[in-house]
Structure formats: C-alpha cells, structure tokens
Amino acid sequence: MPRPTPSSALENLRVLDLSRVRAGPTCARIFADFGADVLKIESPPGVDPNENMSGARHGYDMQNLHRNKRSLTLNLKKEAGKAVLRRLIADADLLIENFRPDVKDRLGLDFETLHALNPRLILVSVSGFGQTGPYRLRAGFDQIAQGMGGMMSVTGLQGQGPVRAGIAVADSAAGLYGAIGALVALQERAVSGKGQWVQTSLLEAQIAMMDFQAARFLVEGTVPPQAGNDHPYATPMGVYATRDGHINLGVGAEGHWRSFCGVLGRPELASDPRYDSVEKRYAARPELRILLEKIMSTQDSAYWLDACEKASVPAGPIYSVDAMFDDPQVQHLGIAQPVTHPVLGDIRVIGEPVGLSRTPASVVSPTPDAGEHNDEILAELGYDAAAIAQLRADGAI
C-alpha cells in the first residue's frame, strides 16, 4: 500500500500541543490532519501522576486522538525542560493547552508571558468553565458539562431522569470551537501580525451545542422537556417500531406528511382534521404513534426504508457501530482511515469529516510513543548530541 501523502493545507504552521484527555487533543488533531507540524509535549513517563488519564498508550482513544503528531517529553518542573519549551515557543504559531488557569500561570504559560516571548503566538486555552469567574479553578469533565450545560435535562425518555449522551459532546465540541477560534486568529494575524488569546470551555461549548433548545428558552421562555427519541416539536419525527426492529423517520414538513401517508397506504390521513398540521400532529402524538406503529408492524424495516426512499420521505436505519461502518455510503466517504502502527499493525482511525478539493486532510502516521521524537526535535532546535544526553541525564526530557 502506498504511503499516504500529508496534507499541505497547514504545512507552514507549528503547533505545540500541551493538552491531554480529549478537548485540547481534538483541537490539535485538526491541525495535524491538515499538515501542521504538531508537537505533542508531555511529561516523561513517571513524572505526571495522572499520565494515564487518557488511557493506554496503544489504546484506541490515544491512537485516534494523537495520530500525525510528533512526541517530545519535557519535564516542566525542571528549568532545563522549561528552557526547551521557551525555545519552541519562540518560533511556534499555536500553543494549545487545557491546564487549570492557576496551573498555567504557575508554569509561566499565561498569555502575557507567552506574548512577550513571541508576539505572533496564538494561545488556545480550553478549560472546564472559563478562564475567569467563580468556577475558573474547578476541574471540568465532559459529563459535568453535559449536566450543567442543559443536555442531560433534555436527553432520555420523558420522566426517566437525567441521561448523558453516549458520546463526549462537550469535550469534542470544545475542541472544535477551539480550532475554529484558532483559525480565525490565524487569519486576523495575517493582517495585524499579532497573536491573541483564544479561549473556550466545556461549559460554553455544551451550551452552544444546545442550540435551538437553548434558544427556545431565551426567546420564548419555554423550558424544554425530555422528548426521548421524538423530535421536540415535530411528529412523526423519531424512532418508530417495525415488524423486525426500529427505524428513524424524519417527517417534518407537510409535503413529507402527505407522501408518508401514501407510503403507509393511508392517503386519507393526510387530510384528516386531527393530523393535518404540524401543531395538530404534535398535540396528538401519543395516539398517532399507536396508529402508525400498528401499520408499520406489518412490514420489516427494510420494506419501509425502501418505500420511504422511493417517495422522498426522510428515513434511515438505526445502526450499531459495526453496522455503521459496513454501510456502503460510509465506506464510500472513507471516514475510517487506515494507518500502520509498529506494534498494533494495520488499524483504522476516524478521519476528518470535512473535505477540501485541493488540500484534503490525511492520516499519515500513528500516535507516537512518548518521547519518540525527542532527539529529532531537539536537534532541530540546535541541541547537539552531548546537550541532549545531558537533558536526559538531568531528567528534563
């Protein structure tokens, strides 16, 4: 198999990734996949008591989050380690971190200090609750943000109590928003020549992901309830039982409703005065569900999906993860990207879900072992073999 070609989109950028767990690494991964030189800076093994917070080095999560990066171990408790970092900062474009604000200040990674070292540097800070305010020093984790950001109050079946999403919504969203902010800052720097401080948090990202549910309250004053697998205000839009399982329906507009009634073999329902508007169908949702599922229980899911597709009615299967990757459209999109790891062999990771016509993202290398590129990176900084050996002997790398 030919070696993948690195993306050239961001090849002129150097990114220092001092983050860990998920949100910060997600942000840095975007730059790595689009060709930036991303240095994953981490403590030497045994220095950080929480070094395994992200899971096993050769585990699926680390492999997915840190591909395309180079690894440099630095002990920032040692002055020699800090000195190496300062030399890196002098020529870097981005520094991504998710330390608690007080830890960042203690390490000398506050924006004022960094700006003095490199006025063009863009600092991307991803925190739990923000850089200021009464919660600034609280430890932030995805599930806590899901709860405080309103998501758990609208997720799950009505009356069952709060339910977390099955994925790390707040973590991933904060990483994405951090990357968006960094790209905006890079564009602005092309005009001003100056770096700036990009800030986001799990709490802010989760609230932003609430989107129309949060806007519903802000604009109308309505507190959204749990709606289970149903759309909050449109029906039939949600999960419906068939003879052999369940499918998703997306009957959101009047045209869809008329077409769907034809699919069901009950065209008269389209003009039934009980169901002839979005508002009436929503008010009659429980009885309408019973009626629809009675009809749909006569045929298998595949029948209804095929019939809906032919009638241009939005519908889709509900996959387990293995079935998801077997879907022909998913395979066509190529979002499962192959990479060869020296220990794990040939594996696949999740590619970038955005395509560029000339400079697409590419997965070219697996997650490195801790410190795998120490000598290479330090040599680029001007350290000779003796100096590198001394750093290693001093426990700085």
Side-chain angles (χ1 to χ4, degrees), residues 141-327:
F141 289 93
D142 177 82
Q143 184 155 343
I144 296 171
Q146 285 194 32
M148 294 179 67
M151 185 166 187
M152 292 175 68
S153 74
V154 299
T155 304
L157 300 174
Q158 190 170 12
Q160 78 174 109
V163 178
R164 74 180 296 275
I167 59 172
V169 178
D171 269 342
S172 296
L176 294 174
Y177 282 121
I180 292 169
L183 290 167
V184 171
L186 283 165
Q187 175 60 29
E188 192 280 336
R189 190 184 72 175
V191 177
S192 69
K194 299 177 182 178
Q196 57 183 306
W197 189 6
V198 175
Q199 303 172 36
T200 190
S201 69
L202 272 61
L203 181 58
E204 291 168 283
Q206 180 61 79
I207 293 171
M209 292 300 287
M210 288 289 287
D211 197 46
F212 72 91
Q213 293 281 47
R216 187 177 178 186
F217 171 74
L218 292 176
V219 176
E220 296 182 350
T222 302
V223 177
Q226 289 173 303
N229 289 319
D230 287 317
H231 189 277
Y233 55 78
T235 197
M237 184 177 285
V239 177
Y240 283 80
T242 67
R243 185 164 63 186
D244 66 343
H246 298 82
I247 64 171
N248 271 320
L249 289 176
V251 183
E254 293 308 317
H256 294 152
W257 171 242
R258 289 191 293 271
S259 297
F260 183 57
C261 291
V263 168
L264 295 172
R266 296 287 302 275
E268 75 279 4
L269 289 176
S271 56
D272 189 310
R274 295 172 297 174
Y275 313 128
D276 61 0
S277 72
V278 172
E279 293 78 14
K280 289 180 180 180
R281 290 194 295 276
Y282 179 78
R285 175 180 274 172
E287 67 179 70
L288 184 57
R289 172 178 287 278
I290 292 172
L291 172 61
L292 298 181
E293 290 193 331
K294 183 177 180 181
I295 299 170
M296 295 177 70
S297 66
T298 64
Q299 299 287 349
D300 291 350
S301 297
Y303 171 87
W304 294 116
L305 291 171
D306 180 64
C308 285
E309 181 177 355
K310 289 176 179 176
S312 298
V313 175
I318 301 172
Y319 288 145
S320 58
V321 174
D322 55 343
M324 173 185 74
F325 283 115
D326 282 340
D327 183 275

Side-chain angles (χ1 to χ4, degrees), residues 16-278:
L16 308 181
D17 178 14
L18 275 74
S19 65
R20 58 184 180 178
V21 187
R22 184 172 315 284
T26 296
C27 177
R29 179 179 63 188
I30 293 170
F31 288 91
D33 287 354
F34 281 103
D37 182 18
V38 178
L39 307 187
K40 174 175 168 52
I41 298 173
E42 52 195 319
S43 297
V47 171
D48 183 356
N50 297 316
E51 65 183 20
N52 294 323
M53 189 181 298
S54 299
R57 191 74 181 196
H58 292 164
Y60 60 89
D61 208 18
M62 288 286 285
Q63 293 305 310
N64 194 50
L65 282 169
H66 298 290
R67 75 287 183 99
N68 287 343
K69 302 177 184 179
R70 297 194 289 168
S71 173
L72 171 67
T73 53
L74 287 181
N75 186 347
L76 298 182
K77 298 177 181 178
K78 302 277 188 177
E79 180 54 37
K82 291 180 180 179
V84 173
L85 181 59
R86 286 194 292 270
R87 290 174 70 164
L88 286 168
I89 288 169
D91 292 318
D93 295 285
L94 298 175
L95 188 152
I96 301 169
E97 60 85 18
N98 59 358
F99 296 112
R100 280 202 332 261
D102 59 328
V103 174
K104 176 167 65 265
D105 294 344
R106 189 167 67 245
L107 291 173
L109 297 175
D110 57 282
F111 179 68
E112 290 74 19
T113 300
L114 295 175
H115 188 68
L117 290 170
N118 179 356
R120 291 176 53 83
L121 182 74
I122 293 165
L123 171 63
V124 182
S125 294
V126 184
S127 62
F129 301 98
Q131 298 297 312
T132 59
Y135 301 163
R136 66 185 292 267
L137 299 185
R138 287 189 183 181
F141 289 93
D142 177 82
Q143 184 155 343
I144 296 171
Q146 285 194 32
M148 294 179 67
M151 185 166 187
M152 292 175 68
S153 74
V154 299
T155 304
L157 300 174
Q158 190 170 12
Q160 78 174 109
V163 178
R164 74 180 296 275
I167 59 172
V169 178
D171 269 342
S172 296
L176 294 174
Y177 282 121
I180 292 169
L183 290 167
V184 171
L186 283 165
Q187 175 60 29
E188 192 280 336
R189 190 184 72 175
V191 177
S192 69
K194 299 177 182 178
Q196 57 183 306
W197 189 6
V198 175
Q199 303 172 36
T200 190
S201 69
L202 272 61
L203 181 58
E204 291 168 283
Q206 180 61 79
I207 293 171
M209 292 300 287
M210 288 289 287
D211 197 46
F212 72 91
Q213 293 281 47
R216 187 177 178 186
F217 171 74
L218 292 176
V219 176
E220 296 182 350
T222 302
V223 177
Q226 289 173 303
N229 289 319
D230 287 317
H231 189 277
Y233 55 78
T235 197
M237 184 177 285
V239 177
Y240 283 80
T242 67
R243 185 164 63 186
D244 66 343
H246 298 82
I247 64 171
N248 271 320
L249 289 176
V251 183
E254 293 308 317
H256 294 152
W257 171 242
R258 289 191 293 271
S259 297
F260 183 57
C261 291
V263 168
L264 295 172
R266 296 287 302 275
E268 75 279 4
L269 289 176
S271 56
D272 189 310
R274 295 172 297 174
Y275 313 128
D276 61 0
S277 72
V278 172

